[in-house]
Amino acid sequence: MWMFKLNIWAFLWLFVGQYGAFALQDVTADLFGAENYGTVAAFGDFYADKQTDIFIIRGQSELVIFLADSKIPYFKPKVNITKDIFPRDAVITSVVPGDYDGDSQMDVLLTTTIQNSKMTNVFIFWGNNQTLDLSGKLMLNKNFTDQPLVMDFNGDMIPDIFGVTDSVPPLFTEVCYLTKRVQRWEKALSSSVDMRSPHSNAFIDLNRDFTADLFLTTEGPKFETWISKDGNFTKEEVTLAEPPVKIIGQSSFVDFDGDGYQDHLLPVCLDATCQRGAIYMVKSGSAEWVPVLLDFQRRETIWSFVPGKPSQPLALHFGDYNLDGFPDALVVLRNTSGSGQQAFLLENVPCNNASCHGVGRMFQILWDQSDLGAIQNAVMATFFDIYEDGILDMLVLSQAEDKHDLIIHALKNNYEADAYFVKVMVLSGLCFNDCPEDVKPFGVNQPGPYVMYTTTDSNGNLKNASAGQLSQSAHFSLQLPYTVLGLGRSANFLDHLFVGIPRQPGETEIRKKEWTAIIPNSQLIVIPFPHNQPRSWSAKLYLTPSNSVLLTAIALIGVCVFILVIIGILHWQEKKADDREKRQEAHRFHFDAM
Ligand SMILES: *[C@@H]1O[C@H](CO)[C@@H](O)[C@H](O)[C@H]1NC(C)=O
Ligand SMILES: *[C@@H]1O[C@H](CO)[C@@H](O)[C@H](O)[C@H]1NC(C)=O
Ligand SMILES: *[C@@H]1O[C@H](CO)[C@@H](O)[C@H](O)[C@H]1NC(C)=O
Ligand SMILES: *[C@@H]1O[C@H](CO)[C@@H](O)[C@H](O)[C@H]1NC(C)=O
Ligand SMILES: *[C@@H]1O[C@H](CO)[C@@H](O)[C@H](O)[C@H]1NC(C)=O
Ligand SMILES: *[C@@H]1O[C@H](CO)[C@@H](O)[C@H](O)[C@H]1NC(C)=O
Ligand SMILES: *[C@@H]1O[C@H](CO)[C@@H](O)[C@H](O)[C@H]1NC(C)=O
């Protein structure tokens, strides 16, 4: 038996030997061919084929939807909204795909501004039969002071449009519902809000009750949290100190320390010209800003953030590129003594400095990423799962001197490691098998669902991770319509996976379902239908066997064959011995007979 064991150990050693190899590979040509220009504005499964498509703004006033395809180039420009559809001088500032009318087909919301005007106009193009109905566009009959937040205000799993429409104080928030393509406006929050512009408002669960709350960024700079109390948003009186900084970036929410709660991360500049950057974090329920990245020096060069512009805000984009269960980030930094700009990966590592002790984790800049460094004048960088294999790849946008449009670079993440993930996409659950007109309920980009897992890691410790789906929509937040949670190297079944969705006002039951024993490396599509009966929700499982799983399978089959051969040999020998015995017996019989 020890020989089989040795065999298995040899295989295991092979996997472990591979652990940690990380390399990027430029796959731009495979993905886009010669069409790799424009500003990546949003992601969503427009074609409802479970493949994420890419929404790209070109020439400031055109939208091109690149649909995922199985042949090179993997993304092809298929659906266009050309500039003659908009008023003259209109500039597209953001794109938010979503199912706004509740027919389970993806519509496209565009915000535009007209030069010299502060107000934002909102257009909606209705999706129909996997394309856009260009003639029947809707322009909202109120304008917003900034890009609106797409969220689910009334918990009906149809995205709503939230923002400030007044232009003279006091500024009250309003929400616009578009169910069945009928425009309906309602006053949203009970007190006035002096919203910051650009805002980084978020629709995310802040108290781990699996119901999305509302986070607002206001002038000051200050922050407001409106907790969903049985579906009603109620302002929470927390006195979070103003962060000790001069320039403030966009807030983001991730589970930075892996405790299942969402943490608030904020990139900032410590001085007015942004010579010194920092990233601060506040834990859920805490009022203390903890620095998680202060060290921006590499040899003689000091790097720092690029002060935000409306079209390129100072923001972090999160994703767990190494599947260790702790979210990492992509950011663009500037050489403070020169003029170069590059994208960098910030890896989430255990804290090794007294300053971040209270959090236990911190960021470390990965300086030696030659593939990222090769992209000059980067202006934006984000994560995207190119081949839908659960490993997050990267898209980097760069500015070329003589071109108006940005250049898109796609970098594949060849993370060859024995690390595992679970990829979860929560759909609207408005229909299931019986969708009207036989549509597939996939491409809906649902804001608000919350996903959390708890499991035991390889050391036997309890480990949690959580994420909100599409918590932010404005100012190029570039969130993915699914969540990828890394599981680290523990190949065990995932003990518990919880999924929760927003609630309707007055609903006291939490809408949450738990799944147990989820196989790692699976992609889960959760259909919360019907919304108020979590017991009936279903999850479709798609497996992505990783290399190591395949190798294990081969090893197992090999061992089985080996055992079979040995059994065969033993059997044959026994049979031979049997035969011999029988023959001897026969002889004896002969002798006896004589
Ligand atoms: C959309 O635009 C792209 C590039 O501008 C072009 O190649 C493609 O033919 C257009 N498609 C349609 C349907 O107009
Ligand atoms: C949907 O579009 C396809 C081609 O794109 C067409 O063959 C089909 O008839 C359309 N279906 C409906 C219901 O319009
Ligand atoms: C919104 O803005 C557009 C263009 O800037 C303008 O034509 C329209 O009248 C505005 N709507 C309202 C309600 O002010
Ligand atoms: C994970 O969550 C459980 C409760 O669900 C809690 O008991 C445990 O302490 C958490 N683990 C960590 C590392 O925060
Ligand atoms: C930063 O810019 C300075 C001045 O142009 C240059 O000497 C230095 O090499 C640059 N650092 C890097 C890492 O590119
Ligand atoms: C450690 O923290 C101190 C402040 O407490 C800070 O000045 C220093 O830069 C930090 N070192 C690193 C490597 O982050
Ligand atoms: C929630 O809001 C609705 C409508 O404003 C109100 O009727 C209801 O009483 C509120 N519920 C709670 C628990 O505050």
Side-chain angles (χ1 to χ4, degrees), residues 235-522:
K235 189 171 174 181
E236 180 145 280
E237 300 302 334
V238 277
T239 42
L240 181 59
E242 285 186 22
V245 300
K246 283 288 192 300
I247 297 177
I248 191 163
Q250 303 289 94
S251 299
S252 317
F253 287 88
V254 285
D255 186 359
F256 191 73
D257 52 358
D259 63 354
Y261 284 90
Q262 292 292 303
D263 306 306
H264 174 188
L265 277 109
L266 187 68
V268 298
C269 300
L270 299 174
D271 56 316
T273 53
C274 211
Q275 299 295 307
R276 285 169 56 229
I279 297 179
Y280 280 90
M281 155 176 163
V282 192
K283 281 179 78 119
S284 167
S286 157
E288 186 198 354
W289 292 97
V290 178
V292 289
L293 179 64
L294 291 168
D295 181 15
F296 284 78
Q297 185 162 3
R298 157 90 165 157
R299 302 208 184 95
E300 282 77 52
T301 309
I302 295 178
W303 296 80
S304 181
F305 291 121
V306 186
K309 287 191 275 185
S311 58
Q312 284 150 17
L314 165 47
L316 305 170
H317 291 112
F318 283 92
D320 187 359
Y321 88 95
N322 55 0
L323 302 178
D324 64 351
F326 296 99
D328 312 294
L330 270 172
V331 73
V332 171
L333 299 178
R334 167 181 68 99
N335 178 348
T336 54
S337 42
S339 58
Q341 267 180 223
Q342 273 182 37
F344 287 99
L345 247 175
L346 310 182
E347 187 175 351
N348 187 331
V349 295
C351 169
N352 67 8
N353 192 342
S355 59
C356 54
H357 190 70
V359 173
R361 309 286 304 182
M362 65 175 213
F363 272 134
Q364 190 173 51
I365 304 178
L366 294 188
W367 296 111
D368 294 314
Q369 268 308 320
S370 53
D371 307 87
L372 282 175
I375 300 169
Q376 299 292 309
N377 288 323
V379 293
M380 233 190 265
T382 194
F383 290 99
F384 177 64
D385 182 3
I386 294 174
Y387 301 101
E388 307 282 352
D389 58 0
I391 296 178
L392 289 174
D393 312 291
M394 296 163 206
L395 295 181
V396 180
L397 304 185
S398 72
Q399 179 86 62
E401 250 152 46
D402 49 344
K403 288 227 179 70
H404 204 69
D405 271 321
L406 301 177
I407 299 173
I408 307 169
H409 308 262
L411 299 172
K412 178 170 159 27
N413 178 0
N414 288 325
Y415 196 73
E416 292 289 334
D418 187 23
Y420 298 86
F421 65 87
V422 58
K423 180 169 168 179
V424 184
M425 178 154 80
V426 185
L427 303 182
S428 66
L430 293 170
C431 60
F432 178 23
N433 281 326
D434 52 347
C435 295
E437 296 172 37
D438 275 344
V439 302
K440 299 197 187 68
F442 296 117
V444 288
N445 272 35
Q446 195 61 39
Y450 193 71
V451 178
M452 183 179 108
Y453 75 69
T454 66
T455 193
T456 37
D457 66 11
S458 40
N459 302 326
N461 299 322
L462 257 188
K463 174 155 192 340
N464 305 330
S466 66
Q469 183 172 298
L470 288 166
S471 59
Q472 295 176 321
S473 65
H475 297 292
F476 297 105
S477 48
L478 296 177
Q479 291 192 350
L480 295 166
Y482 45 80
T483 52
V484 178
L485 296 172
L487 304 176
R489 294 176 59 189
S490 154
N492 294 332
F493 283 89
L494 199 54
D495 294 341
H496 305 275
L497 181 83
F498 304 90
V499 172
I501 61 171
R503 274 184 280 171
Q504 291 189 321
E507 190 173 333
T508 49
E509 286 288 304
I510 290 180
R511 295 167 164 187
K512 164 176 129 181
K513 176 154 177 169
E514 173 183 348
W515 280 271
T516 51
I518 301 283
I519 307 169
N521 284 9
S522 52

